[in-house]
Amino acid sequence: EAQVTQNPRYLITVTGKKLTVTCSQNMNHEYMSWYRQDPGLGLRQIYYSMNVEVTDKGDVPEGYKVSRKEKRNFPLILESPSPNQTSLYFCASSFGTSGRNSYEQYFGPGTRLTVT
Amino acid sequence: KQEVTQIPAALSVPEGENLVLNCSFTDSAIYNLQWFRQDPGKGLTSLLLIQSSQREQTSGRLNASLDKSSGRSTLYIAASQPGDSATYLCAVKGTAAGNKLTFGGGTRVLVKP
């Protein structure tokens, strides 16, 4: 089954403790992206990757890191999480190596992160 | 800067009634528009994708129209069912780098039995 998977689905952690949220897709998509969803602010893009070893900042990259060493995986790293990073996180993927294409984007099930 | 608006924010209808959900966007230079469904605390399920060159797209009881020049899209759900209760989000893919989708705030739909 074609899908985007995220792990963990739920995570409660404390301020400053490094964590990684994994994202994997089995559709051979070049493009992958991370969004966060907050009440009243909607979904906002954090980082994106056009292909292996090609990443760039989205609208709200502060406090996050990403890497793209393999085509299928795009982990989101919070080196020193803070309470303002409590949110619902979504990974997305699609075909296309260009920033200007019209392919459909597929989303993972989400990771609910709470930082205390 | 692209802005996407969905009005109303919430909608309640009796079962069987047709649903009409609205989405408006400020910049008509888009590649496509996607409609998603989100159940509480869950992920986003893609419902329909309309390319910028298309006027409408249909899937089962769902029909989405796109009027790029006026910056509007409408999602129609025929003969609503309680299982259609969810939040519906529209998102446009503009010409900015990064393949970013700009999302509306969503319309929360409740279909009453």
Side-chain angles (χ1 to χ4, degrees):
Chain A
E1 180 189 354
Q3 60 183 349
V4 180
T5 57
Q6 295 179 225
N7 281 293
R9 296 289 315 282
Y10 303 90
L11 180 60
I12 301 174
T13 189
V14 296
T15 299
K17 185 176 181 182
K18 181 179 179 180
L19 65 92
T20 299
V21 183
T22 65
C23 172
S24 183
Q25 49 88 11
N26 62 1
M27 295 171 278
N28 203 33
H29 286 167
E30 294 87 5
Y31 172 82
M32 297 184 76
S33 177
W34 278 101
Y35 290 82
R36 61 178 288 175
Q37 184 179 33
D38 302 287
L41 297 175
L43 282 108
R44 296 174 291 169
Q45 190 184 53
I46 304 171
Y47 267 96
Y48 63 93
S49 170
M50 291 297 184
N51 214 327
V52 175
E53 301 290 4
V54 182
T55 64
D56 209 342
K57 298 177 181 178
D59 293 330
V60 288
E62 296 78 19
Y64 305 95
K65 284 176 58 177
V66 293
S67 69
R68 186 90 182 274
K69 292 181 170 37
E70 305 167 279
K71 196 173 187 180
R72 64 182 293 132
N73 296 322
F74 189 45
L76 180 69
I77 303 157
L78 286 73
E79 298 247 335
S80 184
S82 63
N84 65 11
Q85 293 178 298
T86 292
S87 186
L88 181 58
Y89 291 86
F90 290 103
C91 180
S93 73
S94 76
F95 286 113
T97 57
S98 164
R100 291 166 174 80
N101 65 64
S102 193
Y103 294 106
E104 183 175 7
Q105 293 196 25
Y106 298 85
F107 282 72
T111 294
R112 184 166 293 281
L113 172 66
T114 302
V115 184
T116 61
Chain B
K1 178 186 170 187
Q2 178 75 269
E3 292 181 3
V4 181
T5 304
Q6 292 182 250
I7 295 173
L11 185 60
S12 179
V13 299
E15 182 177 2
E17 192 166 297
N18 295 333
L19 280 165
V20 180
L21 306 179
N22 299 305
C23 173
S24 62
F25 48 95
T26 55
D27 186 350
S28 61
I30 65 170
Y31 284 103
N32 62 43
L33 183 146
Q34 264 184 272
W35 282 95
F36 294 89
R37 169 187 172 135
Q38 184 175 27
D39 292 286
K42 300 290 180 62
L44 304 177
T45 301
S46 181
L47 299 173
L48 289 168
L49 171 73
I50 311 178
Q51 303 291 354
S52 62
S53 58
Q54 296 177 313
R55 296 284 293 183
E56 67 177 322
Q57 194 67 254
T58 297
S59 176
R61 293 186 295 113
L62 306 180
N63 175 278
S65 66
L66 174 65
D67 184 340
K68 209 172 67 162
S69 61
S70 68
R72 294 185 184 189
S73 177
T74 303
L75 177 66
Y76 302 89
I77 303 177
S80 61
Q81 304 167 359
D84 294 328
S85 299
T87 296
Y88 292 84
L89 296 158
C90 71
V92 299
K93 181 152 177 291
T95 58
N99 279 349
K100 182 179 71 174
L101 291 177
T102 302
F103 284 83
T107 295
R108 189 170 66 254
V109 171
L110 175 64
V111 180
K112 296 176 288 187

